Amino acid sequence: NAGVTQTPKFQVLKTGQSMTLQCAQDMNHEYMSWYRQDPGMGLRLIHYSVGAGITDQGEVPNGYNVSRSTTEDFPLRLLSAAPSQTSVYFCASSIGTGTGANVLTFGAGSRLTVL
Amino acid sequence: TQLLEQSPQFLSIQEGENLTVYCNSSSVFSSLQWYRQEPGEGPVLLVTVVTGGEVKKLKRLTFQFGDARKDSSLHITAAQPGDTGLYLCAGGAGTSYGKLTFGQGTILTVHP
């Protein structure tokens, strides 16, 4: 059981470069999301998706793009990296029961440094 | 925007001591979850509480959801070094699916 798989685990970028963080889940979960984790700020929601073809913005969406072409994959794109995007990024998925009590299954995280 | 204030941010105690972590909000949540995170890993769910006044126990950990569903607490009895980690509370509202609001987290260090 792979669960939620994130790649790469570590990445260093220069300001202005673009890259994609990959996220795949094998649990047939409807809901997927991306969070960033910064010291003293918990996890903040970047973008989320309630199913293939449907995405929406979270709390801190600026500078990030997402798409959801399949149930399994939910990549996060940084179009022009900035030092403020240095963070640890977590992808998560859950069954979409719509009760507000869904359990999130997280990936192991991707640590991004922008120089 | 719903906010969750978690306190304390840091907690350093000796093995055998008791501790309580608090999670407070001015907003009502339909559920409150507690996660634990180890270095280099993603958060892992400890418990979900959904009913106001609900108390759940997980071995030495006791979780409580406030009567008004605006606050929660995590109490650890006789802490052990294996309890060391980052504890996060997260609130869900209405039909939010997995769109949770997280607290800032509490870094717990239990010294042998």
Side-chain angles (χ1 to χ4, degrees):
Chain A
N1 243 356
V4 178
T5 303
Q6 289 184 235
T7 56
K9 196 162 181 64
F10 301 96
Q11 183 72 50
V12 178
L13 291 178
K14 294 181 179 179
T15 297
Q17 287 184 320
S18 62
M19 78 156 300
T20 299
L21 298 177
Q22 302 291 345
C23 176
Q25 54 95 4
D26 62 358
M27 299 171 286
N28 202 31
H29 284 173
E30 295 177 48
Y31 180 93
M32 296 186 74
S33 54
W34 277 101
Y35 288 84
R36 61 177 289 173
Q37 185 173 39
D38 301 292
M41 302 189 74
L43 284 90
R44 292 181 292 167
L45 182 64
I46 305 172
H47 285 286
Y48 66 98
S49 168
V50 298
I54 306 170
T55 64
D56 205 348
Q57 297 180 351
E59 180 186 355
V60 288
N62 292 340
Y64 308 95
N65 277 355
V66 292
S67 60
R68 183 101 178 266
S69 56
T70 67
T71 299
E72 294 79 19
D73 300 299
F74 191 43
L76 179 71
R77 297 182 185 85
L78 284 71
L79 301 179
S80 180
S84 61
Q85 293 179 304
T86 293
S87 187
V88 181
Y89 292 85
F90 287 97
C91 179
S93 72
S94 72
I95 297 173
T97 64
T99 64
N102 296 303
V103 174
L104 293 182
T105 300
F106 285 89
S110 297
R111 181 175 293 274
L112 174 66
T113 301
V114 183
L115 303 175
Chain B
T1 302
Q2 295 179 310
L3 296 174
L4 270 173
E5 296 291 333
Q6 192 172 337
S7 63
Q9 190 173 355
F10 300 96
L11 204 49
S12 180
I13 62 173
Q14 294 296 126
E15 182 175 2
E17 293 183 7
N18 301 331
L19 66 110
T20 302
V21 178
Y22 299 94
C23 192
N24 297 296
S25 176
S26 58
S27 303
V28 175
F29 291 97
S30 58
S31 70
L32 206 298
Q33 300 177 2
W34 286 90
Y35 290 81
R36 179 166 171 247
Q37 185 178 11
E38 302 273 6
E41 299 179 6
V44 176
L45 181 77
L46 293 173
V47 77
T48 300
V49 284
V50 297
T51 305
E54 183 176 3
V55 177
K56 280 192 175 180
K57 293 191 176 184
L58 187 65
K59 296 184 180 177
R60 295 176 293 100
L61 279 61
T62 301
F63 305 86
Q64 186 163 8
F65 201 12
D67 291 341
R69 291 185 288 133
K70 292 182 179 181
D71 56 88
S72 181
S73 64
L74 157 61
H75 182 78
I76 301 179
T77 303
Q80 299 177 0
D83 295 327
T84 293
L86 173 66
Y87 291 81
L88 294 157
C89 64
T95 56
S96 62
Y97 293 88
K99 190 179 175 184
L100 299 178
T101 298
F102 281 84
Q104 302 96 321
T106 295
I107 298 174
L108 171 65
T109 304
V110 182
H111 301 280

